Amino acid sequence: MDVLREGFHAVTDEMFVSLQRTSQSPVIYEVLDFAVGITDASGQLVSQGNGIAGFLGPIGEAVREAIERFPDLGPGDVVLTNDPYAGAGSHLSDAAMIRPIFHAGEPIAFAGAKGHWTEVGGKDPGSWTADSVEVYQEGLQLPFVRVYRGGRLDPDLVAVIRANSRLPDMTFGDLTAFAACLEVAERRVLELCERYGPATVAEAMRLVHERSERLARAAIARLPRGVFEAEDAIDDDGVGNGPFPIRVRVEIAEDRVVADFTGTHPQVEGPVNCTRSGLVSGVRTVFKAISDPYEPASDAWFRPFEIVCPPGTIFTAQRPAPVALYFEATEAATDLVWKALAPVLPEVLTAGSFVSVCATSVACTHPDTGEPTLLVEPQAGGWGANARKDGEHALVSVGDGETFVIPVEVCEQRYGVRVERFGFDVVEGAGAGRRRGGRGLVREYRILSDRGSLTVGFGRHRFPPWGVSGGHDGSPNYVEVVRADGSTTGRFGKVARLPLAKGDLVRLVTGTGGGFGDPHDREPELVAADLADEIVTEGEARDVYGYAI
Amino acid sequence: MVAGRGSALAIDIGGTFTDLAAIDPSGRLVLAKTDTTPRGLEEGVLAAVETSGLAVEDVTAFVHGTTVVINAITERRGARTALVTTRGFRDVLEIGRANRPDLYNLAYAKPEPFVPRRLRFELTERMSYRGDVLVPLVEHELDVVIAALRELSVEAVAICLLHAWANPDHEHRVAQLLEKSLPDVQIVASHEVSGEWREFERSNTAVLSAFVKPIVSAYLSGLRNRLRGAGIEAPLYAMHSSGGVCSFERALAAPITLLESGPVAGVSAAAALGRRLGVGNVLTLDIGGTTAKASAIRGGRVRISTLHHIARTPTSAGYPLQTPVVDIVEIGAGGGSIAWTDEAGALHVGPRSAGAEPGPACYGRGGEEPTVTDANLVAGRLDTDYFLGGAMPLDPDAGTAALGRLGRTLGVDAVTAARGVLRYAVAQMARALRLVTVRRGLDPRDFTFVAYGGAGPLHAAALARELGVARTVIPPAPAHFSAFGMLLGDFRADAVRTHVGPLDPVALAAALARLEDEAAAELDEEAGARSVERFAQLRYVGQEHTLEVPLDPGEVSEDLLRRLRRDFDAASDEAYAFSLPDAAVEVVGLRVSVAASPDAVGWVHESPVTHGAFRARDVDFDQHGGIRRADVIGRDELEPGVSRDGPCVIEEPATTVLVLPGQRVLGDELGNLVIEEAS
């Protein structure tokens, strides 16, 4: 059974690599914004491969919903969905594909993949924006449609998808890459059935669930019991409203944990809403961190964890609320539970971090080729400190994971901008503490083409990352544009299609993370080392840390 | 390597033992093993030479595999190193790629850079990605940097300027100026160690090269002096990570190429063995005390990866290096791997290892935890009196007791616990083999399986059955196979360059010719007839990741590129079940490998004489036939052409070969044992 458990992980491992390598969407192959998994015949997740921390849950949800909608699913069928409001939904850019696996005519398992496709239409290139007010502006909706029947691709549906994408080859390439990855899964699961017999495989899947739930309950028993609350706010919604208060009450009992978001702001006009599935994914990230970061994720793991939130909030938006920047609400929910628990779990969690994907999109013309280019990337920033260590400098956000920032040299060749600076941003006083917050980054793009445009979704622009136990707050994220004539546009957190001209400098700045403990308690030799490294300034060392220079 | 009339001698220094393999003037294979001497590795080397009984004046070639580079890095015992880079980018080394592989550990700590911020300096200068000078180098800024480097007693300096892969002029100039002012400081410019883009990866490569350079210089020159002092006048060679050998002088110039000097030798040896056996597809597995290392050789070609990571794990980003390394997958399952149970009562094996001290429980050196070796002993697969040729009696009671304790937490007896441990370990080892085959679209059944390392021959038969491999080869002296492999290494140099563009015959022909000249110039003069292999890293336009595809020999014509394109589609289909024959393809990088094969090495194998007093014993074959009485013989009984049916156990001084019921083992002309399914 332990061998089969390893076998299930080998399947998702292989699916993961297959998709990463064949995808045409940079968001998949570079940001690893996708997840793959296999479930049992009832849609309970058995093994998952993730490139980012989110997506804890949607594969199982998508499978269960597919089973419900298509009672006649057969071998070689593949269901496609990007419906944000149904099970597994996030935003229209995230497509999920599901394939049933039959052995000797009986369904034995399902394979699923969910990930970010670069182009699914909508009002702005790249299918995400910071100022949509209805989902209809955000792209083509594919609400659980059968894209393959008996192994045959539906040509009519493909025609619709292609016609709705600005980059039809890339979108179709992603569709085929997903299908190939699901086929890999089918092949491997059937091999396991041949070798061990389908009954043993099914039994091993049941045991995975049993083991998972038992371990999760054991982990909860070790957590501090009590009721822990936190409040915060989401800055704005990109169309002029905000801030929006958000609240959580986390109760840790002997064998279960409940996170209740009652009292959180209703869904908003701009695209910073997430749906229940996004809330669940985000909160599960913290649940996983505080229970056991390393045990494989399964649906059974999360049975003892409950999430309560009334419908129609910024975390549980209903159709047709816009959701293009759904990850900002998801990250805010993650950060909120984290904030409630950080003071009582000072070695497992940290103080607040820059906690925003800081999604950035720069559209230009390549000065050397004359081709249009679209640079889309997340930013890295500063993380919070905890009882054991200083915060990390320059790390991608909690919603990201095995996500790589784009090398400067590749960026210049590929996108035709010039990077003038990529380094730490030393913000005096921010994140000070006995353990100090990590520094965020400054990344500067000089625009070399005559025209261009900028879209960004930077959260935590008004409310800085929070300190813990006397540690100071960090600093906010922001964007500004220094124009060729020397004037400045910004600072702002969200903007859609801001026009750019030749010689403009786009400055993307991420925050310092929160500190932990009183800065006066920081060991003088550590302050001295930070001074030598120019990670703190002399003024900061003297005035904030009380260090005698 | 060079056989000639004298002795070719190879030394592989491992964590525990220093191994020697040599072919003496009569063509006989000579082996010796001594303790590694961490305080002065040369001592162990000289002791091994002495133990071997070889006449020093007969030695005509000395080949060395060393862990000195990897150890200096993992133990952070290198030079005090500084970095000089382009203004605006001194934090690139510490930002890394900002990835967070440990997804749910919200207190993840990034790998600490090898140069702290206070030792990272910026200069005003700028190149474009096309290699045009955008901002000329402001040379006088170096005065301040040089003063600071002196003041801070820096011992080595790495230089990495943006786009040096496209135009190294500024780096070259900075290196010149630093060398002039700081004659005692080692200087490494990034373009000298990598011709590839991606500034973080290239910076890290330059930094680690500088970091190890003084220590490697001291070590190799110290060793040379000691060898000369001992009367060995032969040319000295080092094994580098791409599976070839180079002179000590070349190694001193680019020490980072010695990174995986030890483990790759076994893979080279397996490739050479494959050539002797007339097979191109060889699957290798080297099982030692702590890990199992797998590699797949296709069409006689060892697979080279041009981006290697040190200390990268599922929970750490590690340190990337742009240097060609034989593609080896390593997992934490070896003889010393410890078995344990988690809270939910599930069994695990490794990655923690009991190592040599205290070692497995049955070593009787105070180890309490059950290991794979203990499980093999309980299962009757090891002889208590003939471990390491009888040099180390095992304590069966301690082994059984350790497995008994494990069994109690699982609710089973020691014998069942041992079965569980062995099944798990074999599954892990099989996983390493699948990672280098199945995961890359290859079928293990298309390969000849070569198993070596101290614990390889013990698990090979079960692994072969698990993977459906038809033929398993246990080479002579499997526990010395890496050292032996060094005797077979080619002279070899690889040149790698980032070259982004379409499949254009003119541009590619020029770039490939330049790389070939560069690689050939790297090759030592001693090298004889040369062979050239050319590779292109290709992708569909819009993709990020590339696949490396070999180019056919001959002029780079439209026709050759059409074939390359077709091969790429096929490779993509094979690896990922995916190809786009109508989409545009672009080149991202080129690699040229120039090798000079020395004269074919011949050797006469004489099986080591075993003591011959073996008795049949009960061996637990678990799912392959349960507990069976198995014949036990010495390896010397399997003369060429002699075969025997399983189940049986074959003992030799440094390892044990297990043959399952239903399998047959045959001795061949080269001294190999060949295991096949009998039916």
Side-chain angles (χ1 to χ4, degrees), chain B residues 85-87 123-127 135-138 161-162 170:
Chain B
T85 186
T86 304
R87 184 159 312 285
L123 292 177
T124 304
E125 67 84 38
R126 192 65 148 84
M127 290 285 175
V135 178
L137 175 67
V138 181
L161 304 180
L162 281 183
H170 286 175

Side-chain angles (χ1 to χ4, degrees), chain A residues 17 29 222 368 394 408 412, chain B residues 110 126 129 343 439 544:
Chain A
V17 173
Y29 61 65
R222 283 193 301 267
D368 297 333
V408 171
E412 295 190 344
Chain B
K110 292 168 74 164
R126 192 65 148 84
Y129 73 91
E343 283 184 313
R439 192 164 189 175
E544 175 63 17

